[in-house]
Amino acid sequence: MEINDNKSIEMDELTNEKLLSGHEYDGIRELDNRLPRWWVWLFITSIVWAVVYVFVYDVFKVAPHQQEEYKNEMAAIGGGSQAQQAMAADTAGLVQLTAQANLDAGKATWNRLCIACHLAGGQGLVGPNLTDNFSIHGCGYKDIVNIITVGQPDKGMISWKAQLTRDQILDVASFVATLSGTNPPNPKAPQGDPCK
Amino acid sequence: MENQTFYYDNKIVKYFAYATLFWGVIGMVVGLLLALQLIWPDLSFGIPYTTFGRIRPIHTNAVIFAFVGNGMFTGIYYSLQRLCKARMFSDILSQINFWGWQLIIVLAAVSFACGMTVGKEYAELEWPIDILVALIWVVFGWNMFGTIIKRRTSHLYVAIWFYIATFVTIAILHITNSIAIPVNLFKSYPVYAGVQDALVQWWYGHNAVAFFLTTPFLGLMYYYLPKAANRPIYSYRLSIVHFWALIFMYIWAGPHHLIYSALPNWAQSLGIVFSVALIAPSWGGMVNGLLTLRGAWDKVREDPVLKFMVVAVTAYGMSTFEGPMMSTKTVNAISHFTDWTVGHAHIGALGWNGFMTFAVLYWLLPRIFRTKLYSTSMANAHFWIGTIGIIFYAVPLYWGAITQFSMWKEFTQEGFLKYPNFLETVTQLKPMYMARALGGGLYIVGTVLGLYNLILTVKGGNFLAEEAASAPALVSTSHTGESKHRWLERNPVPFLIVALLAVLVGGLIEIVPLYLIKSNVPTIASVKPYTPLELQGRDIYVREGCYTCHSQQVRPFRSETERYGEYAKAGEYVYDHPFQWGSKRNGPDLSREGVVNGKQYKPNSWHYNHMENPQKLNAQSIMPSYKWLLGDKLDISTTPRKIRIMQYLGVPYPEGFDKVANQDLMNQAQGIVDDLKIQGIQTTPDREIIAVIAYLQRLGKDVHAADQTAGIAPLK
């Protein structure tokens, strides 16, 4: 390609490359260099890649789009925490755990997930006070396990079985059971029925 | 050929340069405040005007349109005159351009602080200011074209090609994306809804990056870099190829902001492939800049102007590589919604735009003040502090992003989310946020040093308002045997038209089908219009800029559906004017917040307490308090008109609903008030908080209901 406007040839002294004549803009000159080869190849490769991509994904549809990817991901793990959903709130034979390790684990879960409604000491704000001698869903350990597992979503207590394992639920329930009678400051007024 | 004498207008250049520095400092300081608010939410000061959601648009708009915008005008007004060998077409237009732009900036800042926003990123301005922007932009284009037409040079230099592309494309983007129907002077609804609004918005948003932050700055590079280095441009042919490739391809890449969203797959694919194919056209600019410096590297060591330029161009090369990588599904799956995006944006803003702007100012102010830079060592100090600032800014954010997405996606052996409480993934980032704030702080220190240096330069100089120059008038000569492109360079109007066509193609091919082909947005029968109360609540959500921290777009990953619920469907957003998908998550996604059997459900009383004082419920929360919502009265005088506009936009409210809408609103509000009362909270139905709660409790409900009806994958 000849892009010189006229034929007189000027060279850049430092690089000894051809300057384009007639290309002078407020003192700025331009060299007549070719496109760098690596750059051309980069460009061509990316365009080829782009065309192939569209054919693979959208014309022949041989690679999965996001919906199929999601299906595959879920199929691969076989339901994940949903397996837990099947877990009935079976409380038969449960006894409150008292080992320190269980209580510590329970407290950790409590601090992560429960205090946003029951507050750190269990004194209640959005959720009921768990330290007093009243309860909506029952005061026993099994009752606590049950409400944590199945929840009462319409009242604002979700079911935690999709976010906590059975063991974690038992631990946190055991921890909750220890809150009773702790008298934290600013308790929420009693709700539900008195415990026997 | 007789030489004509004429005068360059340096005064307008000086004005824009001062405005650049002024707004630069302000925009950056607001940015620093935001960075600190993400560590200490109390820095919102408990008043609406300074909360995160309201000042983030001030920061982004101030940096983009005030700092970089004025910087761009400075550079263009100086170089255009010299490249055309002509004074600006009209001094009056120059003045209107300048004062109009500053007025827009002031109005923007005030209106954002007051919560007047459209709720679309970088396009938040309400309609009256949008119109003003369009008018001032036309004034700028008119002035530029007038100058080009009366030029004394035969051909247009590559810098001017970029200026022209900037002008036409920004005009189209701004007008198309801003079309809205006013409710009143301070509030409007975009005509687009949901997926379509998202696509138009990110077509705009991405190309604001392309044609406001990239093309004009490439133009500036093409003028100031060879000037400062006193070297010829490396390759004219490369200029041609990368210019046209860049403007043609950039416009297609918008959907890369919407990967793994409810946008149709074909549109996502186009966004991905065009982004990747953009690496070479973008790097063309970098290569042409850096190779122009061959033989001048010794100067780079001495001259702060060149140092700033080298880092700017390198940062440009980095972010134009990183961007395409972030557009691939693999990287986007993890980087999106994290602070990676923010880090990426700042490599561009601080490195490319900021440093190029400083280079231009350091180069040009001493010239128009006929003096030398007051202190080279101070400029060098600015350079180093700024560079370290950029590193301290970006690296912690990348680190934080990696930390956060790992936590979002980590499962226990039993198949549960390891971090089911979103907040834990935020608390983990606080040290990184501190480092980022330090980086930003350093950058500001550098800027202030630069400001001081430039003030002293100006003080010691002698301003040349009217700079005499002379050149022969342009006479038509024959250009036999010239290439087609050479011809185009002599003919600005055809040039403009070709550039216009180049940018129109991509936009039309992506956007139009989304309107015409129904299957792109499959409807969901159970998705119903918002009730009047929810609509009002939604408008408050938009007003407060909740979208600056919260997304409303669950992505089709196990880690997302486990945390939030069913992934996003195009059909669920059809009544959303504007869409509120968000672009990063400092807080959890909210699009499933109202699903009673969902994972996130909270009772009304929780929301009430939480909006009043998030830290009362989550001590570590970084969400600001919105306690004024509890006291402020909801303005229901707008309801009938809002309903009518929605009807006009195709939302199927029954005929005459506008007349009973407020009755409906009050009934629903009373229900929430009654429920709160049972929880021991006394309030009245006419408070804003009630509307916000109603809206939050609606989110996701309809898609969930679709479970029972038809046509959609069941919720688990």
Side-chain angles (χ1 to χ4, degrees):
Chain A
M1 174 167 72
E2 176 57 72
I3 24 198
N4 265 342
D5 284 359
N6 61 46
K7 298 290 169 231
S8 66
I9 292 176
E10 264 183 285
M11 304 303 263
D12 172 43
E13 298 129 41
L14 278 171
T15 55
N16 206 27
E17 289 162 354
K18 200 168 112 200
L19 283 162
L20 288 164
S21 65
H23 289 233
E24 199 262 72
Y25 307 92
D26 195 32
I28 301 171
R29 303 293 308 269
E30 292 179 300
L31 292 166
D32 189 23
N33 286 321
R34 318 193 296 171
L35 310 175
R37 291 295 101 169
W38 66 268
W39 183 88
V40 174
W41 281 113
L42 176 70
F43 198 16
I44 292 174
T45 314
S46 64
I47 289 176
V48 170
W49 180 86
V51 173
V52 171
Y53 187 101
V54 170
F55 270 87
V56 167
Y57 274 93
D58 300 279
V59 180
F60 301 128
K61 301 185 195 290
V62 285
H65 272 307
Q66 58 184 29
Q67 292 79 1
E68 297 95 72
E69 282 181 49
Y70 178 69
K71 268 195 212 117
N72 298 343
E73 188 186 11
M74 295 311 279
I77 51 110
S81 71
Q82 286 183 78
Q84 292 276 329
Q85 306 262 4
M87 176 179 77
D90 182 6
T91 51
L94 284 181
V95 281
Q96 189 179 337
L97 305 168
T98 49
Q100 199 55 42
N102 295 105
L103 293 181
D104 288 348
K107 185 171 185 180
T109 302
W110 172 259
N111 284 333
R112 290 172 81 187
L113 296 174
C114 316
I115 62 178
C117 293
H118 295 283
L119 297 199
Q123 63 268 48
L125 179 71
V126 174
N129 182 347
L130 300 179
T131 66
D132 59 11
N133 216 17
F134 287 81
S135 170
I136 307 169
H137 295 275
C139 308
Y141 175 64
K142 291 178 186 177
D143 301 320
I144 300 177
V145 172
N146 187 57
I147 173 73
I148 298 173
T149 310
V150 300
Q152 182 70 42
D154 55 331
K155 291 276 170 18
M157 170 73 180
I158 64 167
S159 149
W160 292 93
K161 65 184 174 190
Q163 293 171 52
L164 295 173
T165 62
R166 180 67 165 171
D167 286 341
Q168 284 175 314
I169 290 180
L170 299 183
D171 289 346
V172 75
S174 301
F175 172 77
V176 168
T178 66
L179 291 173
S180 175
T182 49
N183 287 319
N186 303 320
K188 192 177 178 190
Q191 287 168 270
D193 304 320
C195 297
K196 287 176 272 303
Chain B
M1 266 190 289
E2 207 174 300
N3 262 356
Q4 299 176 333
T5 302
F6 54 94
Y7 296 89
Y8 294 136
D9 180 2
N10 282 343
K11 214 163 90 191
I12 191 68
V13 178
K14 179 178 85 172
Y15 280 7
F16 275 119
Y18 288 177
T20 308
L21 287 163
F22 178 74
W23 294 121
V25 173
I26 293 189
M28 291 175 208
V29 168
V30 177
L32 182 60
L33 176 60
L34 288 161
L36 295 172
Q37 286 180 347
L38 288 180
I39 311 167
W40 298 290
D42 285 350
L43 289 176
S44 278
F45 308 118
I47 47 169
Y49 315 102
T50 44
T51 41
F52 188 92
R54 291 201 189 181
I55 64 173
R56 183 181 185 263
I58 298 186
H59 164 63
T60 51
N61 283 270
V63 167
I64 298 174
F65 300 109
F67 171 57
V68 177
N70 275 307
M72 167 189 99
F73 286 131
T74 312
I76 292 181
Y77 270 86
Y78 183 92
S79 59
L80 183 71
Q81 300 187 70
R82 277 132 186 110
L83 289 170
C84 290
K85 293 257 169 292
R87 188 186 180 83
M88 285 310 296
F89 171 68
S90 152
D91 285 3
I92 296 177
L93 291 183
S94 301
Q95 292 290 321
I96 297 177
N97 186 174
F98 177 78
W99 290 109
W101 199 252
Q102 312 317 314
L103 175 69
I104 289 166
I105 296 166
V106 173
L107 290 176
V110 173
S111 64
F112 292 153
C114 294
M116 292 162 210
T117 167
V118 179
K120 307 211 298 187
E121 277 177 88
Y122 325 123
E124 289 95 342
L125 292 174
E126 265 302 349
W127 66 275
I129 313 179
D130 271 342
I131 293 176
L132 195 58
V133 171
L135 291 176
I136 298 299
W137 193 254
V138 169
V139 165
F140 161 62
W142 178 7
N143 207 9
M144 174 166 80
F145 254 82
T147 314
I148 292 175
I149 302 289
K150 63 164 210 181
R151 72 191 184 284
R152 295 186 178 80
T153 52
S154 58
H155 293 78
L156 300 180
Y157 177 53
V158 48
I160 299 180
W161 314 346
F162 278 105
Y163 301 161
I164 292 175
T166 301
F167 166 68
V168 280
T169 317
I170 290 294
I172 300 170
L173 292 169
H174 171 71
I175 293 169
T176 311
N177 189 41
S178 302
I179 299 175
I181 301 187
V183 174
N184 53 36
L185 204 55
F186 313 115
K187 166 81 195 162
S188 63
Y189 288 126
V191 292
Y192 320 101
V195 176
Q196 293 158 346
D197 195 34
L199 182 63
V200 174
Q201 155 63 20
W202 284 115
W203 167 77
Y204 161 88
H206 171 70
N207 289 300
V209 173
F211 290 90
F212 204 88
L213 302 176
T214 304
T215 53
F217 275 68
L218 283 169
L220 298 187
M221 179 196 83
Y222 272 110
Y223 180 79
Y224 294 93
L225 190 138
K227 276 281 186 188
N230 198 19
R231 295 287 303 140
I233 288 295
Y234 171 70
S235 167
Y236 162 67
R237 297 186 213 182
L238 182 56
S239 302
I240 299 179
V241 178
H242 101 92
F243 169 78
W244 290 105
L246 189 86
I247 68 165
F248 173 73
M249 288 166 63
Y250 235 122
I251 211 86
W252 295 75
H256 69 204
H257 291 258
L258 301 169
I259 294 172
Y260 285 118
S261 77
L263 187 73
N265 292 324
W266 62 266
Q268 295 189 32
S269 290
L270 284 179
I272 293 170
V273 299
F274 273 93
S275 302
V276 171
L278 258 170
I279 299 178
S282 306
W283 276 10
M286 173 182 71
V287 168
N288 228 358
L290 291 179
L291 291 183
T292 295
L293 291 173
R294 289 170 318 153
W297 284 98
D298 50 323
K299 275 190 217 148
V300 174
R301 242 165 283 138
E302 321 265 272
D303 183 2
V305 170
L306 285 175
K307 280 188 207 170
F308 274 105
M309 280 185 183
V310 168
V311 170
V313 173
T314 313
Y316 173 64
M318 274 163 53
S319 43
T320 51
F321 177 73
E322 189 187 32
M325 291 303 112
M326 292 166 71
S327 306
T328 61
K329 282 175 133 187
T330 323
V331 178
N332 194 279
I334 53 181
S335 73
H336 192 58
F337 284 142
T338 71
D339 288 314
W340 194 322
T341 318
V342 183
H344 169 66
H346 283 79
I347 297 282
L350 302 175
W352 165 237
N353 296 117
F355 269 27
M356 188 58 87
T357 302
F358 292 128
V360 169
L361 293 175
Y362 279 129
W363 186 86
L364 141 177
L365 279 173
R367 278 181 173 69
I368 62 177
F369 278 89
R370 289 181 288 187
T371 178
K372 286 176 86 103
L373 189 61
Y374 172 75
S375 161
T376 307
S377 50
M378 211 188 286
N380 280 326
H382 174 190
F383 169 77
W384 284 111
I385 296 173
T387 307
I388 295 171
I390 297 174
I391 295 170
F392 264 88
Y393 187 101
V395 173
L397 282 192
Y398 291 138
W399 188 252
I402 293 168
T403 309
Q404 197 174 30
F405 71 63
S406 311
M407 291 176 84
W408 287 350
K409 287 176 184 282
E410 191 169 348
F411 280 88
T412 62
Q413 257 173 350
E414 293 90 354
F416 291 82
L417 283 172
K418 175 111 185 262
Y419 303 97
N421 185 350
F422 185 93
L423 184 56
E424 285 177 288
T425 74
V426 179
T427 311
Q428 198 68 27
L429 303 186
K430 282 191 182 173
M432 282 75 132
Y433 281 162
M434 286 182 195
R436 180 264 290 269
L438 177 73
L442 282 175
Y443 195 89
I444 295 179
V445 170
T447 304
V448 170
L449 209 60
L451 177 68
Y452 179 68
N453 199 359
L454 288 171
I455 290 176
L456 291 182
T457 307
V458 163
K459 280 239 162 88
N462 177 6
F463 182 57
L464 178 62
E466 303 283 322
E467 186 176 330
S470 66
L474 187 56
V475 284
S476 55
T477 47
S478 92
H479 294 265
T480 43
E482 70 179 352
S483 70
K484 288 204 184 63
H485 202 270
R486 229 24 205 155
W487 178 85
L488 210 52
E489 291 167 31
R490 286 194 293 116
N491 291 282
V493 176
F495 192 103
L496 176 94
I497 293 169
V498 178
L500 181 68
L501 293 176
V503 298
L504 277 181
V505 177
L508 291 177
I509 293 184
E510 280 178 356
I511 296 175
V512 173
L514 212 53
Y515 284 85
L516 299 185
I517 307 172
K518 278 261 177 279
S519 65
N520 277 318
V521 185
T523 49
I524 303 174
S526 61
V527 172
K528 297 278 178 317
Y530 293 106
T531 67
L533 185 65
E534 291 156 5
L535 187 65
Q536 292 284 13
R538 189 171 201 276
D539 290 343
I540 296 172
Y541 184 96
V542 171
R543 181 188 81 193
E544 299 301 342
C546 309
Y547 70 89
T548 60
C549 284
H550 290 287
S551 62
Q552 289 193 19
Q553 183 77 194
V554 178
R555 309 178 87 197
F557 305 133
R558 173 189 173 210
S559 57
E560 300 252 322
T561 52
E562 274 294 337
R563 185 181 296 281
Y564 303 116
E566 193 54 47
Y567 68 78
K569 308 287 184 301
E572 63 179 291
Y573 301 102
V574 291
Y575 304 127
D576 286 9
H577 299 267
F579 82 114
Q580 289 286 283
W581 296 1
S583 65
K584 72 178 165 66
R585 290 179 181 151
N586 295 114
D589 189 276
L590 294 181
S591 57
R592 302 291 175 254
E593 190 66 24
V595 180
V596 177
N597 290 306
K599 326 243 170 170
Q600 284 173 298
Y601 183 71
K602 311 276 189 303
N604 293 336
S605 60
W606 190 88
H607 289 301
Y608 190 93
N609 279 293
H610 184 245
M611 296 308 280
E612 179 182 25
N613 181 2
Q615 287 72 31
K616 184 157 128 197
L617 303 177
N618 285 310
Q620 300 291 323
S621 180
I622 56 166
M623 177 159 148
S625 154
Y626 287 94
K627 54 176 183 262
W628 59 89
L629 297 178
L630 276 57
D632 287 357
K633 267 182 103 165
L634 182 68
D635 175 11
I636 60 167
S637 70
T638 51
T639 316
R641 178 156 171 86
K642 284 182 174 179
I643 296 291
R644 284 194 299 273
I645 296 175
M646 286 294 167
Q647 283 172 322
Y648 175 76
L649 292 174
V651 179
Y653 290 115
E655 194 56 41
F657 187 63
D658 56 318
K659 299 195 185 63
V660 293
N662 268 332
Q663 191 51 49
D664 182 286
L665 181 149
M666 276 306 171
N667 289 343
Q668 192 185 359
Q670 191 59 49
I672 296 174
V673 169
D674 293 345
D675 178 63
L676 288 172
K677 194 163 174 199
I678 298 172
Q679 299 302 319
I681 296 168
Q682 297 290 345
T683 180
T684 48
D686 57 356
R687 304 292 137 170
E688 290 190 333
I689 183 73
I690 306 298
V692 173
I693 293 176
Y695 173 60
L696 290 172
Q697 297 293 28
R698 175 66 184 273
L699 288 169
K701 265 205 173 120
D702 294 0
V703 177
H704 181 73
D707 181 12
Q708 278 85 37
T709 54
I712 192 165
L715 265 181
K716 295 178 311 212

